[in-house]
Amino acid sequence: MTPLPSQAEIVIIGGGIIGCSTAYHLALAGAKDVILLERAQLTSGSTFHAAGLVGQLRSSRSITQLLSYSVDLYDSLEADTGLSTGWRRNGGLRLACNSERLVELQRAATTGRSFGLEIEILSPSEARALWPMMDVSDVVGAAFLPQDGQADPSDITQALARGARRHGVRIIQNCNVEGIDVRGGRVVGVHTSEGEILCEKVVNCAGQWARSIGEMAGVSVPLVSMQHQYVITEPIEGVTADLPTLRDPDRLIYFKEEVGGLVMGGYEPDPLSWGDTGIPEDFNGRLLQPDWDHFEQLFEQAVERVPAMEAVGIRKLINGPESFTPDGNFILGEAPEVRSFFVGAGFNAFGIAAAGGAGRALAEWILAGEPTSDLWPVDIRRFGAVHRDTDWVRSRTIEMYAKHYAMAWPHEEHASGRPRLRSPLYERLGAAGACFGSKLGWERANWFARTGEKPEDEYSFGRQNWFEAVGEEHRACRTSVALFDQSSFAKFVVDGPDAESALQWLCANDVGKPPGRLTYTQLLNDRGGIECDLTVSRLDEHRFYIVTGTGFRTRDHDWISRHLPAGSDVELSDVTEEHAVLALMGPRARLVLQHVTETDVSDAALPFANLTMLTIAGATVLALRVTYVGELGWELHVPRAAAGDVYDALMTAGRTYGMVNAGYRAIESLRLEKGYRAWGSDIGPDHTPLEAGLGWAVKLGRDIPFIGREAIAAQKVAGPPERLACFTVDDPDITLLGRETIYRDGRRVGWLTSGGWGYTLETNIGYGYVNRGGAAVDTEYLTSGDYELEVVTRRVHCALHLGALYDPEMSRVKA
Ligand SMILES: Cc1cc2nc3c(=O)[nH]c(=O)nc-3n(C[C@H](O)[C@H](O)[C@H](O)COP(=O)(O)OP(=O)(O)OC[C@H]3O[C@@H](n4cnc5c(N)ncnc54)[C@H](O)[C@@H]3O)c2cc1C
């Protein structure tokens, strides 16, 4: 064994494909002092028993890009390292056996084109021409991705390891990491079976053991192990090496060629977890007991698809454990709990496909100290407190595993582990007909069933059953008044003598206003990209109150805490649970509010973007005059214990004015009309405020330094390379969901970041960035083109708009 060094800059734990890819990319990027520690031998975790299918298409562009990079890397890895990788770009075929699945494939084809992937929709006979031994009598169509492929997982890993070694990485096998030293909130070393290593950074690539490695440092890595099985058959006539991989989601199975036979695996609807009481430390180079009884349901499906399977000999049934996560995406990045502790784990049976891109992205993150592009769907900061509960994680992960090949419906909610976090109004809203969704564990009313309706979603790709009910909520908000429970908003307080200067450094907008004022602002990275999108209210000289989206609680807290200027006398605290939030919105909101409080809430006394404390039902309430729906309104931040009384008082007063309960689906429709951006879809780290049409919220005109200022100033001179625009399609039979491709004068120039129906304007509304092949995009360019959207593979004409569709003068908001 190579002697253990006493010191290193970066220690990677785990010699599976992810650890080796991360090591390889760190080394390629010039990292000099990297050690990889593997408890047993390289590839002896999940990697050696992977089936090796490599697909690329995901619903997020950044993840699709990572997977596409994997494919490019695998193209050249063999030549680079001199080791064979078994990599073949033989394409990937995906079948549809009913009309809804075909729509799903067509939508996926459009998404693929939006992201620049080649993807074709085939007829059943065209699909059969690519896969002659399959029966297509129940197939209605297929999608084909010619750039997909398959690889030998162990060989690819060995090639990555050789590449890493050549560039100076030390790989030490048979070395078990037994503890992690954390001092002052930062990693300082690891304890191993062979001794201690002092280090600056630790990278946890320990596969299904990553959760327990995380625990050694006090870091939550929410994954659990699931049993995953596939068979390998004897050779079958007609199975050739160039056969594409095949996914048959309606039968829950997949295939790939292997030595003239087939590998066939799948996702049972009743999946089995493994290692619930802990993963044995010595589970290396081992498999689980094959479970034919459980696998038989998939095998029967396979025989129907490929009749030759019935008679062919079975060489092996593999049952391997693999780590899965509660949302089906992997976990990447620096842990919010401990500085310099990075994670790359939880690959949900696509670790071979993801390894190239994930390893590179993680290496960049480690070296730069922050992600170099938008990785939000896989960012470790997307989790919250609920994910520390392994039982909760397991139940949601089992549900997601079972749904792996299920139809991915728009607006889909999941059922397991609910209800978990409840607003104090949960029972009241339930009694009022709320159909709840869940976000970061919080139950939130999506919509309210009307008399005779069941508060249950019925999914489809067209208008769903809640369409009319949400329309009523939307219109009530536009014409009278609606009450939204937004208690799950994340809320922070920044307190201390340096609070103003610290926040001015963090925020792109000028938050240094007098107490009583509220500011909408973005927090930017050095590239000018939007890391957070939130409101900052000044409570008094040294106290600021920050409100941000439910799902961004961990991430925004992490961003703010990391970027508070060193040495500043300021404290950041999370006060989310202290206050319920009732958003009272609509032209009659003032009448309702004035009814329940003695404080003057006229425009003169409390103009837009101001705040005050007032009393409702005996409770002291912080009223922020702000809106995300484009109407006169207030966010009322109510002490949790008083939420029921305040809600009741508002509902009683609201009766006279036609007030209704309304939910998150109405908010979405209202904000689309008003052109308010949503972080995570319309805006994020890869887009600047200038590109997003939010330049008005950047204090470039003031002589105040802030993060990202230089990048924004430079972009202002050069002009943004893309710009967010609004698109409308009046045809009510069309449903925009986001990711539809944008064409300008017949050329692909972007895709929709979000889409939906505007009930007041009676049109489909979408937002998307328009690019110009790298050149600056100006208004003249935007408005001079002729635009189409590709929706479900069909091109439709659309109108482009700049500025808000609804109330661009802000007269309603400022009423
Ligand atoms: C049956 C099956 C089929 C699959 N098919 C596919 C497929 O077709 N396509 C695809 O893309 N993916 C597939 N996968 C998924 C793929 O195998 C995994 O996602 C991938 O191998 C994960 O790699 P990893 O490096 O994260 O984990 P692992 O390969 O498990 O590596 C983790 C390593 O960490 C080491 N380690 C753990 N604890 C310590 C410690 N304390 N000290 C030192 N070292 C430690 C372990 O020994 C192990 O070698 C499949 C998985 C299974 C189970």
Side-chain angles (χ1 to χ4, degrees), residues 13-19 37-41 43-47 49-54 175-178 205-209 213 216 228-230 254 284 318 320-322 344-345 347-354:
I13 306 170
I17 193 164
I18 304 302
L37 303 177
E38 165 54 48
R39 155 193 295 160
Q41 284 75 47
T43 80
S44 65
S46 291
T47 296
H49 50 69
L53 284 80
V54 174
C175 179
N176 188 30
V177 173
E178 295 168 341
C205 297
Q208 59 183 339
W209 295 270
I213 297 278
M216 291 176 186
H228 188 67
Q229 301 199 85
Y230 62 82
Y254 61 79
N284 280 93
I318 303 279
E322 157 74 337
F347 278 84
N348 297 275
F350 68 105
I352 310 307

Side-chain angles (χ1 to χ4, degrees), residues 691-709:
E691 293 160 11
L694 295 170
W696 57 269
V698 180
K699 56 182 178 239
L700 272 191
R702 309 282 315 276
D703 188 19
I704 305 170
F706 62 92
I707 305 170
R709 185 181 177 112

Side-chain angles (χ1 to χ4, degrees), residues 51 53 91-93 95 131 133-134 149-150 231 233 236 243-248 251-258 261-266 298-299 301-307 309 405:
L53 284 80
L93 197 56
L95 305 180
W131 236 87
M133 72 294 305
M134 77 169 158
Q150 64 182 63
V231 283
T233 73
I236 298 176
L243 199 67
T245 60
L246 175 69
R247 291 174 179 83
D248 186 354
R251 293 187 183 277
L252 311 176
I253 51 178
Y254 61 79
F255 300 85
K256 77 162 231 226
E257 184 276 341
E258 186 156 302
L262 289 174
V263 160
M264 187 286 292
L298 298 179
F299 194 76
Q301 295 291 329
V303 169
E304 289 192 18
R305 179 62 65 222
V306 184
M309 294 272 292
Y405 276 148

Side-chain angles (χ1 to χ4, degrees), residues 126 176 179 223 237 245 251 260-261 270 309 312 330 346 377 385 402 460 480 487 503 518 528 548 617 710:
E126 287 169 326
N176 188 30
L223 53 80
E237 204 181 320
T245 60
R251 293 187 183 277
D270 53 345
M309 294 272 292
V312 75
F330 50 90
S460 70
S480 56
S487 300
L503 285 173
L518 172 149
T548 186
E710 289 69 26

